[in-house]
Every structure is written in C-alpha cells, then in structure tokens.
Amino acid sequence: MTAHPDNTKLRVSTRLTQLGRNPAEQYGFVNAPVYRGSTIIYQTLDDVEQRRARFSYGTAGSPTIANLEDAWTTLAGAGGSVMAPSGIGVICLSLYAMTKAGDHLLMPDCVYRPTRNFCSQILAKFGVTTSYYDPMVGAGIEKLLQKNTSAIFLEAPGSQSFEVPDVPAIAAVASKHGIKTIMDNTWATPVFFRAHEHGIDLSLEAGTKYLGGHSDLLLGIVSANEESWPALRSTYERMGMLPGAEDCFLALRGMRTMHLRLKEAERRALEIARWLKERPEVSKVLHPALPDCPGHENWRRDFRGSSGLFSIVLRGQFTRKGLASMLEGLTVFSMGFSWGGYESLIAPFDCAEYRTVTQWKPGGLTLRLQIGLEDVEDLKNDLDAGFRRLKKDS
C-alpha cells in the first residue's frame, strides 16, 4: 500500500514520513483516507466463488489497516504485521498463535500484570502451563526448559521495575531448542530496539503509547519474522480481532512524528531521572540508561536509545499519608497508568504482591513516571513541591 517499498537505506526519521501512504493512489492527497465498512462488492460470480478480492470482507482488513500493517512491517524489519484493538489484545493474540493445549510457557517475573492474568485465567483453562523466571537469568534460562516448552516471553525493560534482560542470549537458547520467542517492545519501539535483528520471533507493543502519542487511541501491533508469520496471520484471521479504522488513521499520523517525540522523551526523561538521582528523598532511580539500573549493560549493548518511562524508589521513612499528600497536590503531573502521550504521569506501584520467583524489596515506596512534553523546569518544580509535602506529612 506504500509508494516507497524499498526505503531501507534511508534514516528512520525519513522512513517514518514515507511509510504507509501513496499519494499517487490518493488523488494526490498526502495522507491516505479512512476506509470504514463490512461489505465488499464483487463484479462476477467467479470472483464471489473464489473470494477473488484484495479484501474479501471487512474482517479481512481494509486499505487503512493494510497501510499501517505494511508500514510497521517495513519499520520492524519483519515478515508481516497485524493489529488489534489494544496492547493486551496483541499479547493474547501472540500467545494463542504460539501455544496449544499441553504446552509450557516461560514468562518473566516482571511481566505486565494483565499478561500474567491472561496466562493464569485464560491459557490455563486450555491446558497451557506457565512458569515464571528471573528476568536477569540470561542464557541460564536453558535450565528452565521443559520437554513441552513452546514459547518464551520477554519484556524489555520490565514494565515497572525496569530490568533489561539479555535478549540475544535468551533468543539463542530458544532458537537452539526450536522454541518461539515473543517480546513486549512497547518501551523502546523498533526505533530504539530492533527485536527481530536480535533473534525475536514475534515483537509486539501497545501502539496506544508512542505510536499514537496523544492518549487518544487504543491499539496493539505485533510483527513476526518470516517463519512465524503464517501462524500469526492465520490466528489473527480466525479471531477477526481488527482495530478501528480511525485508530489506524491516527496511528499512521502519529508515525510521522514518532522519532522526534521519542528523542525528545528520551532527553527530557534523562534530565529528570538524573535530577531525581540527586534528590535526598530518592534512594534509587530505575532507568535503563543509568548505570545502576539492573541490566544497564544489556541496554547499552543492544538499544539505540531510551524513552520517557522510568521508576523511582523513595527512602524508607516516608508514609502512604505523605505520598497521598505529594501526589494529590501535583499540578503538572497527573496520576494515571498509561504512558507515551504528551502529558506527564505518575503512579504508585508494588511488585511484591504478585511476583513468585523473585523478591521485590525496594526499601521504600515506589513510583513510575512518564515524562511528557511539558517544560522540564515546570516538572521539576512540581516534583519539588510534592517532595516538600511528602516530608511534611509522613
């Protein structure tokens, strides 16, 4: 669907302006139109009988969806891509595609909690068992394989605690044993981490975050290498899990500026993270680009950048009452659980309540921060005032 099928020699910011559109097919308009619909009209009886059409019915997709699929496939260096109405949607789709009844699945202990819930509440009903592993296990994951292990799931970094696993080492073990790897790459996107080039079979993310960029859509994206693409596409078609046309249109629009927004998010988040590291109220900053974050060496070796999400650990003397005073009085940061948009967010979390093979004992209250596009000094001033309330009311 794109007029630039071979732009791989161009730099990423240029590629993002070209992918998923073809003005020559759009009467000269720069952006592709939104196609909505269910019914496809055929011209001949033979066409109907053979389902001879690029899109045989609305559940087979549309030009709008295909534009985004083709663009993402090129960006990710994949064999193909499909979309779903949310990030958790493509997680479920990917796990369905790579497992069957009687299989065993390995999942990192730091994984996004809805992924964990899907394994325990849905996959378990169909006879798929799940074991959890230390995200920093690296090549040692080979000792955890079972005869029926069919897939290893990775998250880089962990969604709250920000461990960066040794992706190539885990992928190499999986490949050696004919096991599929599925990775949640939402934090870095293909701009900062080329998952397929590091041995990952399926790379997924919530396009809700940095692809959309404006907190106004829900979308999931998963790309597959050539070997895994047929199974992924077949599962997708059987489930009919299509995103809305308007969400795909907004995602294509977000793609044009994604590189610029990611670079700015990286700059701002690093400035805030380094400032927080010097604050007396903070005992630890969990940011993959900082040397004391677990797996920093893996990040430095494999990643091309960092995005705008990280966590902090407060010192042990602070109380929930003080934390409530800190958070409820903020005027620039808002409390919320998403990220990747233009607005800065902050949210408390506690990994200890659900981890099963690793211990989460940070020594103090923990907060996850999403750094948006507000002025950095305003963000610092807002946090500074919040820290004063924290100390006063603890």
Side-chain angles (χ1 to χ4, degrees), residues 9 26 46 138 214-215 222 303 362 379 394:
K9 295 181 181 179
Q26 300 154 196
D46 189 57
H214 295 79
S215 303
V222 53
F303 286 68
L379 294 172
S394 286

Side-chain angles (χ1 to χ4, degrees), residues 15-46:
R15 297 170 69 196
L16 289 173
T17 68
Q18 297 182 353
L19 296 172
R21 65 187 185 91
N22 189 347
E25 294 180 356
Q26 300 154 196
Y27 301 95
F29 282 92
V30 170
N31 293 307
V34 177
Y35 286 80
R36 306 178 185 88
S38 56
T39 301
I40 305 298
I41 301 299
Y42 296 83
Q43 298 302 314
T44 70
L45 175 61
D46 189 57

Side-chain angles (χ1 to χ4, degrees), residues 376-389:
V376 171
E377 293 306 314
D378 289 334
L379 294 172
K380 290 178 182 178
N381 290 338
D382 199 31
L383 290 172
D384 181 68
F387 284 135
R388 291 198 297 271
R389 293 190 299 273

Side-chain angles (χ1 to χ4, degrees), residues 43-172:
Q43 298 302 314
T44 70
L45 175 61
D46 189 57
D47 285 344
V48 173
E49 293 173 337
Q50 301 300 322
R51 297 293 193 271
R52 190 178 293 112
R54 172 65 176 84
F55 306 99
S56 59
Y57 186 70
T59 53
S62 70
T64 305
I65 295 173
N67 279 330
L68 184 54
E69 289 174 345
D70 293 348
W72 198 261
T73 296
T74 301
L75 179 66
S81 300
V82 292
M83 313 293 156
S86 67
I88 188 61
V90 290
I91 290 170
C92 299
L93 174 66
S94 300
L95 289 169
Y96 271 134
M98 296 294 115
T99 60
K100 64 183 183 302
D103 281 355
H104 171 250
L105 171 68
L106 278 168
M107 187 72 60
D109 208 25
C110 62
V111 74
Y112 177 53
R113 196 167 185 181
T115 306
R116 196 178 194 111
N117 293 340
F118 178 73
C119 293
S120 63
Q121 298 171 22
I122 304 297
L123 285 183
K125 292 195 301 183
F126 297 99
V128 177
T129 58
T130 303
S131 299
Y132 291 87
Y133 66 89
D134 183 336
M136 303 310 296
V137 70
I141 201 167
E142 189 165 25
K143 297 178 182 178
L144 304 178
L145 301 181
Q146 299 179 14
K147 291 181 179 180
N148 59 336
T149 303
S150 63
I152 300 173
F153 197 96
L154 301 90
E155 193 171 87
S159 63
Q160 294 178 325
S161 45
F162 288 88
E163 302 95 334
V164 182
D166 190 337
V167 177
I170 294 174

Side-chain angles (χ1 to χ4, degrees), residues 207-230:
T208 305
K209 309 311 198 254
Y210 284 114
L211 180 58
H214 295 79
S215 303
D216 56 3
L217 66 87
L218 287 168
L219 186 71
I221 310 169
V222 53
S223 60
N225 58 20
E226 293 286 354
E227 181 179 318
S228 300
W229 169 237

Side-chain angles (χ1 to χ4, degrees), residues 1 15 31 63 81 146 181 184 189 192 209 215 217 227 232 247 260 269 303 310 319-320 334 336 343 359 373 389:
M1 303 302 293
R15 297 170 69 196
N31 293 307
S81 300
Q146 299 179 14
T181 47
D184 188 331
T189 83
F192 286 157
K209 309 311 198 254
S215 303
L217 66 87
E227 181 179 318
L232 176 63
D247 287 339
L260 295 174
F303 286 68
F310 64 94
T319 66
R320 185 184 182 281
S334 299
E343 77 288 6
Q359 289 189 326
L373 299 179
R389 293 190 299 273

Side-chain angles (χ1 to χ4, degrees), residues 189-380:
T189 83
V191 173
F192 286 157
F193 184 77
R194 305 279 291 174
H196 297 301
E197 292 179 4
H198 288 85
I200 296 296
D201 296 299
L202 271 64
S203 176
L204 60 88
E205 60 195 87
T208 305
K209 309 311 198 254
Y210 284 114
L211 180 58
H214 295 79
S215 303
D216 56 3
L217 66 87
L218 287 168
L219 186 71
I221 310 169
V222 53
S223 60
N225 58 20
E226 293 286 354
E227 181 179 318
S228 300
W229 169 237
L232 176 63
R233 183 70 200 191
S234 175
T235 305
Y236 170 77
E237 291 177 352
R238 301 293 82 75
M239 298 180 71
M241 193 190 291
L242 280 74
E246 286 81 4
D247 287 339
C248 290
F249 175 84
L250 289 173
L252 282 164
R253 186 174 69 171
M255 180 178 288
R256 312 307 173 202
T257 61
M258 185 169 71
H259 183 252
L260 295 174
R261 288 184 285 103
L262 275 166
K263 293 298 292 182
E264 190 62 14
E266 176 182 46
R267 183 187 70 82
R268 291 164 182 262
L270 278 170
E271 182 173 343
I272 295 291
R274 288 167 178 148
W275 177 78
L276 286 167
K277 194 172 175 60
E278 302 303 318
R279 293 288 310 199
E281 304 87 357
V282 176
S283 66
K284 187 180 297 184
V285 177
L286 300 172
H287 188 303
L290 298 184
D292 53 353
C293 187
H296 168 72
E297 298 81 6
N298 298 329
W299 174 85
R300 187 174 57 190
R301 182 193 65 200
D302 298 332
F303 286 68
R304 300 177 180 180
S306 60
S307 59
L309 191 76
F310 64 94
S311 293
I312 61 172
V313 180
L314 299 176
R315 296 200 179 275
Q317 68 265 33
F318 299 119
T319 66
R320 185 184 182 281
K321 179 183 176 182
L323 182 66
S325 181
M326 173 188 176
L327 297 182
E328 292 170 9
L330 295 172
T331 59
V332 183
F333 280 89
S334 299
M335 285 187 281
F337 290 108
S338 191
W339 46 279
Y342 58 84
E343 77 288 6
S344 290
L345 301 171
I346 191 167
F349 70 91
D350 184 3
C351 301
E353 60 189 65
Y354 62 83
R355 289 203 172 189
T356 55
V357 298
T358 57
Q359 289 189 326
W360 176 250
K361 293 182 177 181
L365 298 167
T366 47
L367 297 168
R368 192 179 73 173
L369 291 82
Q370 130 79 8
I371 306 303
L373 299 179
E374 302 90 348
D375 188 280
V376 171
E377 293 306 314
D378 289 334
L379 294 172
K380 290 178 182 178

